[in-house]
Amino acid sequence: MRFARGPVSGLFLVLLLLLGGCVQPDHDVIIRGGTVYDGSGGAPYVADIAISGDSIAAIGMMPTETARREIDATGLAVAPGFINMLSWAAGRLERDGRSMSDIVQGVTVEVFGEGTSEGPVGGRSLAAWMDSLADAGISTNIASFVGAATVRVHELGYADRRPTPEELDRMKALVRQAMEDGALGLGSSLIYAPGFYADTQELIELSRVVAEYDGLYISHMRSEGNQLLEALDELLTIAREADVRAEVWHLKMAGESNWHKFDAVVERIEAARAEGMEVAANMYTYTAGSTGLDAAMPPWVQEGGDGAWRERLMDPDIRARVLEEMRTPTNEWENLYLAAGAEGTLIAGLRQDSLRYLTGRRLSEIAAERGQSPEDVAIDLVIHDSSRVEVVYFLMSEENVRKQIALPWMTFGSDAGSMAPEGNVLLSSQHPRAYGNFARLLGRYVRDEGLLSLEEAVRRLTSMPAERLRLAGRGQLTPGYLADVVVFDPATIQDHATFENPHQLSTGVHHVVVNGEIVLLDGQHTGAMPGRALRRAEKR
């Protein structure tokens, strides 16, 4: 039997074309021909990466595989999404879910909880807040520690005293509930009131709960300056007594008189690691820190919260006592103003419109103009702005920053919000780490100075923090893992934000995928909001 020709064969061809048009692509996204840094620290290799749904489906050369969307990564690095080990992006994400300053650096996970957390607050749990933020729409994933100060305030308010046994039991129950809900562990911040009021035993007791869940105790230690070694000993005591994994948040040697302590800090941490303790640290890649003028004044004057602090400062006798303590070296509390000096203290954020003209200026300069001492200016600003006044303190040495980056147990966090350089944000100053922490690592310190290989730097930004935080299924480019992927140019990635002009996005990241959805394409935000609230040891 012979097939008919002419119109019948033409109809047959049309049917074939129609059937061909119904064939579904093999994957949702294929990233083609990039140099893969898979997060393991191993040598890079050229491959395609196929993504189906929210996960990595396959890695290899796949010339015949098809996808709904293909991305050409030829000549570019392809890595797991970066994990920001210390983020203050929570408030910003509530207002703008894009996480612009971090997403353009390849960050796909923001980690919260340094001392304070968004729950338990009133009747709201930490898990409920995280879920509500993710449901509202965010571009990055989020995860959080439960704040030791938040738990303390829940039971004791802002009182400077030890908890009763009954109060401590309730605090432990709050930590337990947070851990049951998937918190990463317990975060403390011990230079600020009310976190300062917690003693070592209180932190041990709370950390014992965390240890039951293989969580992490992570701390802005009681001192990063004059009592740095003693503060580190406290952290190691808590870790040892509670049998809990521990980490130093944003390790530094603050104040020139303390720069020489680098070797002693490293020796203590490495000795603890040698005895089998899981102890590590993270950092940001700058020589200045940023916090408030509360770190310039003694904790006793801040008891009861910001309103009580401001009211006390308006009492002439109390003011005189605070002025004296601000000027006097002490081992009783962390005086960052004294460590930085008035010239090294830059005003970064003010609440009152009438005072914002002072943003970006040094405390020493303002004092000279007003004919006041710098300490008097600091007190007046807290009173008149009705805030703690955000400042930048220049505290660290570049040499120590470089040496810390090279430490094999060091990961990285911005210690900052994630924002867009537009609108009202331009009325305030900002530490450039909010815009450049990760690009600065990969550009200045990896490419230009060679402190780390690129594959090792990627490991420290991906699989290493994922393991520390117990975030399952993330941090590596492996089939079956969730598809958080960043595509960047190692030759051009660069931070641009400076202390003088901080609101400048980094460049060099071309594409970012979060949970399988393209969030950044050719350097432009797509508007996608696929971020999720992550839990410790996340089960899929």
Side-chain angles (χ1 to χ4, degrees):
M1 182 176 178
R2 299 174 64 185
F3 289 102
R5 296 184 180 180
V8 176
S9 61
L11 179 60
F12 184 69
L13 179 61
V14 170
L15 288 171
L16 285 176
L17 290 172
L18 289 172
L19 287 171
C22 294
V23 174
Q24 295 296 311
D26 301 304
H27 306 287
D28 293 307
V29 178
I30 295 179
I31 301 171
R32 292 209 181 270
T35 302
V36 176
Y37 294 79
D38 63 12
S40 69
Y45 54 92
V46 176
D48 301 334
I49 297 179
I51 297 169
S52 295
D54 64 359
S55 300
I56 296 170
I59 300 177
M61 302 311 295
M62 295 174 273
T64 63
E65 299 284 295
T66 60
R68 298 178 190 278
R69 187 64 180 262
E70 296 200 1
I71 293 174
D72 183 6
T74 304
L76 302 176
V78 183
F82 304 150
I83 297 174
N84 186 347
M85 281 291 282
L86 173 51
S87 170
W88 287 98
R92 294 282 178 184
L93 288 174
E94 289 180 328
R95 300 189 291 277
D96 180 357
R98 294 176 300 166
S99 194
M100 279 299 296
S101 62
D102 269 357
I103 206 75
V104 300
Q105 296 183 80
V107 171
T108 59
V109 180
E110 308 274 10
V111 178
F112 310 137
E114 185 198 337
T116 59
S117 56
E118 299 296 332
V121 176
R124 183 189 70 196
S125 69
L126 176 58
W129 174 82
M130 290 178 62
D131 288 338
S132 67
L133 181 59
D135 290 344
I138 51 177
S139 292
T140 52
N141 300 302
I142 57 173
S144 186
F145 291 83
V146 61
T150 300
V151 169
R152 178 173 242 274
V153 169
H154 195 281
E155 295 302 320
L156 280 75
Y158 290 85
D160 182 3
R161 64 173 177 83
R162 290 179 175 177
T164 66
E166 294 76 19
E167 289 168 335
L168 183 58
D169 283 343
R170 291 196 294 270
M171 291 165 66
K172 291 167 69 175
L174 290 171
V175 172
R176 184 176 301 282
Q177 184 59 60
M179 297 303 293
E180 289 280 347
D181 289 343
L184 304 174
L186 180 73
S188 69
S189 190
L190 303 179
I191 75 165
Y192 306 107
F196 175 88
Y197 306 143
D199 63 18
T200 305
Q201 192 58 43
E202 177 181 320
L203 297 168
I204 290 171
E205 292 298 321
L206 298 181
S207 293
R208 283 177 172 149
V209 177
V210 170
E212 294 175 26
Y213 296 86
D214 192 30
L216 187 63
Y217 172 68
I218 192 164
S219 183
H220 178 152
M221 298 187 301
R222 210 172 291 275
S223 173
E224 298 173 325
N226 293 348
Q227 293 291 102
L228 171 61
L229 299 180
E230 292 81 357
L232 179 57
D233 286 342
E234 181 187 36
L235 178 135
L236 296 175
T237 296
I238 293 166
R240 190 175 288 110
E241 293 296 318
D243 194 21
V244 70
R245 300 182 301 115
E247 176 140 349
V248 179
W249 246 320
H250 50 57
L251 179 65
K252 63 177 70 71
M253 295 85 220
E256 187 171 359
S257 63
N258 297 301
W259 291 352
H260 71 280
K261 295 178 180 178
F262 175 87
D263 289 340
V265 167
V266 172
E267 287 171 7
R268 276 170 162 79
I269 292 176
E270 293 193 340
R273 291 168 62 86
E275 68 177 79
M277 296 174 64
E278 289 192 48
V279 182
N282 60 65
M283 65 178 291
Y284 45 83
T285 55
Y286 295 84
T287 58
S290 184
T291 181
L293 287 176
D294 48 344
M297 300 182 200
W300 63 261
V301 78
Q302 301 170 51
E303 184 179 3
D306 289 351
W309 174 28
R310 181 172 177 268
E311 187 174 339
R312 288 193 188 99
L313 291 177
M314 290 188 284
D315 180 304
D317 292 335
I318 293 177
R319 180 184 181 117
R321 180 182 167 190
V322 171
L323 284 168
E324 181 63 24
E325 292 196 23
M326 289 177 70
R327 295 166 177 152
T328 305
T330 179
N331 292 330
E332 298 301 316
W333 56 281
E334 187 86 332
N335 188 339
L336 295 187
Y337 160 72
L338 206 57
E343 178 63 29
T345 302
L346 182 146
I347 304 301
L350 293 154
R351 181 179 296 170
Q352 305 299 325
D353 290 343
S354 60
L355 293 173
R356 283 183 174 161
Y357 73 97
L358 298 173
T359 298
R361 302 180 68 188
R362 306 279 177 151
L363 193 59
S364 55
E365 178 188 358
I366 301 169
E369 282 186 3
R370 293 186 174 189
Q372 290 181 289
S373 73
E375 298 84 5
D376 275 305
V377 171
I379 290 175
D380 284 346
L381 288 177
V382 170
I383 292 172
H384 296 144
D385 198 55
S386 297
S387 80
R388 71 174 195 155
V389 182
E390 299 295 325
V391 295
V392 169
Y393 294 110
F394 291 85
L395 297 164
M396 289 82 79
S397 76
E398 182 64 29
E399 179 185 4
N400 280 348
V401 167
R402 289 188 173 95
K403 289 193 294 186
Q404 285 187 194
I405 288 170
L407 292 168
W409 33 264
M410 186 66 65
T411 56
F412 301 91
S414 68
D415 194 14
S418 183
M419 58 197 67
E422 57 199 42
N424 290 335
V425 72
L426 297 177
L427 299 175
S428 67
S429 186
Q430 183 59 240
H431 195 300
R433 65 192 182 189
Y435 287 91
N437 188 63
F438 305 96
R440 183 178 178 86
L441 172 69
L442 295 173
R444 176 173 181 171
Y445 293 114
V446 174
R447 179 190 61 231
D448 299 341
E449 299 191 14
L451 298 183
L452 298 175
S453 67
L454 183 54
E455 52 265 40
E456 174 62 9
V458 168
R459 186 182 76 88
R460 306 266 206 91
L461 292 169
T462 58
S463 66
M464 185 170 165
E467 169 60 22
R468 292 286 289 161
L469 300 171
R470 301 298 193 252
L471 294 178
R474 297 184 192 269
Q476 293 192 60
L477 297 180
T478 300
Y481 272 48
L482 288 147
D484 292 347
V485 187
V486 53
V487 181
F488 66 97
D489 187 348
T492 64
I493 192 165
Q494 188 67 49
D495 63 303
H496 302 286
T498 65
F499 289 101
E500 295 73 25
N501 188 9
H503 297 289
Q504 301 185 80
L505 295 173
S506 293
T507 54
V509 172
H510 290 223
H511 317 290
V512 177
V513 177
V514 178
N515 297 319
E517 293 192 36
I518 301 172
V519 173
L520 198 74
L521 183 66
D522 295 322
Q524 300 300 310
H525 202 292
T526 66
M529 301 282 182
R532 299 174 182 174
L534 308 184
R535 268 63 169 173
R536 181 196 70 262
E538 180 186 39
K539 302 296 183 184
R540 299 186 55 217

